[in-house]
Amino acid sequence: DEALHAEECAALFRLLGDPTRLRILGTLASTAELCVHEIAERVDASETKVSQALRLLRTARVVRNRRDGRHIHYRLDDDHVRALLDTAAAHLAHGGDAA
């Protein structure tokens, strides 16, 4: 149904509307996978904040995780997520007049 699709898309865009979550996704887009503490260092955020963001992103199937002993490694869920990030960056780089 079109209304449900619109609601789901809006929820995804709201999720992606947070600068910390976008920095996390950008970091994951540039590497195979990372642990929470590695992501936190790279995005200059607390491990708690990164963990909370990753939980939301995982629930929305934007990232996936893999457990290796005590460590949990995160990566982008699939190429669609990378395409969303790339498309947004290309749109911003395109510039142009708003009017």
Side-chain angles (χ1 to χ4, degrees):
D1 159 311
E2 193 173 320
L4 178 60
H5 179 73
E7 287 298 322
E8 290 172 340
C9 284
L12 177 62
F13 282 118
R14 280 192 300 274
L15 181 71
L16 299 177
D18 177 78
T20 299
R21 290 192 289 261
L22 280 177
R23 288 196 324 264
I24 290 168
L25 294 174
T27 297
L28 291 174
S30 67
T31 188
E33 60 181 23
L34 295 169
C35 295
V36 172
H37 71 275
E38 295 168 320
I39 297 168
E41 284 178 10
R42 293 186 187 197
V43 302
D44 193 29
S46 71
E47 287 187 31
T48 300
K49 186 171 187 173
V50 169
S51 291
Q52 291 170 348
L54 287 166
R55 180 182 51 79
L56 292 172
L57 292 166
R58 192 183 73 235
T59 300
R61 296 179 306 137
V62 176
V63 300
R64 65 176 55 197
N65 63 0
R66 174 182 66 82
R67 182 176 290 279
D68 182 20
R70 291 177 17 116
H71 296 282
I72 300 176
H73 302 270
Y74 289 88
R75 67 179 187 268
L76 296 182
D77 187 70
D78 60 26
D79 287 336
H80 295 113
V81 176
R82 186 179 313 278
L84 276 170
L85 298 171
D86 290 346
T87 300
H91 177 72
L92 292 173
H94 179 336
D97 293 331

